[in-house]
Amino acid sequence: MQEQASTQPVPHKRKPRLAAIEYIRGISMMGVIAIHVGSQYIMNTSANVHLIALFEVASRFSVPIFFFISAFGLFYNLDTTVPFDYRSFLKRRFKTVLVPYLVWSLFYLLHDGILYKVGFPDPLHLLTILFFGNAKYQLYFLVILIWFYLAMPIWIYMVRRAGKVSLLLLLAVQIAFDYWSSFSVSFNVFVYGLPDHSVLKPFLMYRLNYWVFHYVFIFVLGGYLAVHIKEFQAFMQKHRTGITLFFWASLAWLLAFYYKLLYVDGYTALEAINTAHQLSPAGIFYTIAASLFFFTIFTYQRYPAWLNPILHQLGRHSYFAYLVHPFFITYAALALQHAGRIMTAPVSLAFYCVILGLSMTAAILCRRLGEKLPLLNEWTIGVYPKKK
């Protein structure tokens, strides 16, 4: 979603641009919007469970794959053989992530405070909201990303020493940790059993908003493949068929899990999507498969060339579209409610297209306006004028 920038403090020859990173960013933004539109559609008690699967299950790679491409972009132009300038790195990344995060958080707090007549939070509550990324439901991603940046020396250390065996061990630990965090009955009973005034409770309740441990493997994998780009390209070229089969098999596994929850275990659709998610074992493998699959097809481009300009625009404006789309969802949902329209399957599909269209249009217009008023791009997407 965010604009990629060089993180290398020592001048060196930049590597060739990889269109796959930009294209994946756009596809992932579309998936995130699908998840949030699905959250509107699922409120219809007669919602089609198969369309819910499209909105809420098939798109589940969308958030974790952002960590994959973020790490890939960071390590692709990073020389891991020279000393890492941590201070310079944080300065650059905070300008592209922390500033937009604070600006958009304040925007949504002010907007929602007026719209829902709840006012602006007091200073202590404001700090809590900003720490956990709770100003709006999509902003937690930036909080986790900031924590990843803060721990960058750790990831460099891990990527430098990573190999096939250590990556497999890390994957096993990742599956075990995510399963414990998501499905451990004793742990979750403990968390929900804490009194509301407990200081510990929000730190555990909102652990998905800032615990980078949930996504360490996919981040390190992205960094590892970027450092070993030549080997990765050879692997993609040699195993295109296998990567494609892995993608569809992992999707089938995740969907099978979703349908089992519905038809065998008697879960509601909401309970099912909250269980068959990206942190489940099936979801983790689906994320890995999607990362390899999309990188492969966008690298070797066995599809019509006319799609590339569209994918370019989706990727270029994905950061702003990601950040602004809840604003349009709010007013589109209010318009439907005012018109007395129910979110049926056809309406939800049209709703998705409208939200995507409005978000992209706003992103393009603001980006162009930001070329004349640089502060707009600096504050909203962390893009600064190129130094002459």
Side-chain angles (χ1 to χ4, degrees):
M1 288 171 288
Q2 80 214 55
E3 297 293 322
Q4 297 295 326
S6 172
T7 61
Q8 175 57 39
V10 179
H12 71 290
K13 184 179 179 181
R14 283 186 64 87
K15 296 178 181 177
R17 172 182 169 274
L18 296 178
I21 295 177
E22 181 179 67
Y23 295 174
I24 292 173
R25 195 186 304 130
I27 292 294
S28 302
M29 174 271 293
M30 295 175 64
V32 170
I33 293 178
I35 292 173
H36 295 152
V37 170
S39 297
Q40 299 289 320
Y41 177 56
I42 204 170
M43 290 189 288
N44 181 350
T45 55
S46 301
N48 185 301
V49 295
H50 309 300
L51 184 54
I52 291 174
L54 177 63
F55 279 139
E56 296 279 355
V57 181
S59 59
R60 279 293 160 177
F61 67 87
S62 301
V63 170
I65 205 175
F66 276 131
F67 296 117
F68 174 84
I69 60 174
S70 293
F72 202 105
L74 289 174
F75 279 90
Y76 182 63
N77 283 301
L78 179 68
D79 187 350
T80 59
T81 64
V82 301
F84 178 63
D85 189 342
Y86 184 57
R87 181 178 179 179
S88 175
F89 170 80
L90 288 183
K91 182 179 179 181
R92 295 182 185 187
R93 302 318 299 175
F94 282 2
K95 286 170 66 177
T96 60
V97 176
L98 182 60
V99 171
Y101 169 69
L102 294 174
V103 168
W104 283 97
S105 293
L106 294 176
F107 166 76
Y108 280 113
L109 287 172
L110 287 168
H111 170 269
D112 291 357
I114 296 171
L115 180 64
Y116 301 115
K117 297 179 175 60
V118 295
F120 196 77
D122 61 78
L124 182 60
H125 191 201
L126 174 62
L127 289 175
T128 302
I129 290 172
L130 293 177
F131 180 85
F132 292 116
N134 288 337
K136 205 64 177 178
Y137 49 75
Q138 90 285 24
L139 294 176
Y140 78 94
F141 165 78
L142 299 185
V143 173
I144 301 180
L145 201 56
I146 290 169
W147 282 103
F148 267 118
Y149 292 158
L150 288 170
M152 190 64 182
I154 298 175
W155 317 132
I156 293 176
Y157 178 87
M158 293 178 68
V159 169
R160 279 175 176 169
R161 290 158 178 76
K164 294 179 180 178
V165 174
S166 60
L167 284 173
L168 287 174
L169 288 174
L170 182 60
L171 174 59
V173 172
Q174 184 73 84
I175 293 171
F177 176 82
D178 287 353
Y179 192 88
W180 168 80
S181 178
S182 300
F183 303 111
S184 171
V185 174
S186 58
F187 174 64
N188 282 282
V189 166
F190 168 75
V191 172
Y192 285 96
L194 290 170
D196 291 338
H197 62 270
S198 170
V199 176
L200 180 62
K201 188 168 187 176
F203 285 92
L204 295 179
M205 286 285 291
Y206 300 120
R207 61 189 179 277
L208 296 179
N209 293 29
Y210 72 103
W211 280 11
V212 297
F213 310 113
H214 290 105
Y215 298 105
V216 164
F217 174 79
I218 198 67
F219 190 88
V220 171
L221 179 65
Y224 175 83
L225 294 178
V227 170
H228 300 87
I229 182 64
K230 296 297 183 182
E231 295 90 333
F232 182 38
Q233 289 171 333
F235 176 83
M236 289 188 291
Q237 191 169 26
K238 182 178 180 181
H239 299 288
R240 282 200 303 266
T241 301
I243 290 171
T244 302
L245 291 174
F246 178 37
F247 171 74
W248 291 112
S250 64
L251 174 58
W253 180 16
L254 186 59
L255 288 172
F257 182 35
Y258 165 76
Y259 285 115
K260 173 186 177 294
L261 293 170
L262 284 177
Y263 296 120
V264 177
D265 300 330
Y267 281 44
T268 65
L270 181 60
E271 291 170 338
I273 64 170
N274 286 334
T275 305
H277 51 60
Q278 68 268 24
L279 299 182
S280 67
I284 292 173
F285 280 99
Y286 181 47
T287 295
I288 297 169
S291 301
L292 299 177
F293 173 72
F294 285 117
F295 219 107
T296 300
I297 63 171
F298 290 144
T299 297
Y300 296 101
Q301 302 197 2
R302 298 296 181 89
Y303 55 82
W306 59 264
L307 284 173
N308 285 331
I310 299 174
L311 291 167
H312 167 68
Q313 291 300 320
L314 287 169
R316 174 178 168 79
H317 300 291
S318 60
Y319 195 15
F320 190 100
Y322 171 84
L323 292 168
V324 80
H325 77 270
F327 175 82
F328 292 115
I329 286 179
T330 296
Y331 285 100
L334 288 174
L336 280 179
Q337 183 180 354
H338 181 74
R341 297 293 302 273
I342 298 175
M343 183 77 83
T344 61
V347 170
S348 67
L349 292 171
F351 190 94
Y352 173 82
C353 294
V354 168
I355 299 304
L356 177 61
L358 289 173
S359 300
M360 283 296 295
T361 300
I364 294 170
L365 292 176
C366 285
R367 185 66 172 264
R368 290 178 180 175
L369 181 59
E371 293 173 0
K372 298 180 180 179
L373 301 172
L375 202 62
L376 180 62
N377 282 339
E378 293 171 10
W379 284 13
T380 59
I381 54 176
V383 171
Y384 293 75
K386 293 182 180 180
K387 295 181 179 179
K388 297 181 180 180

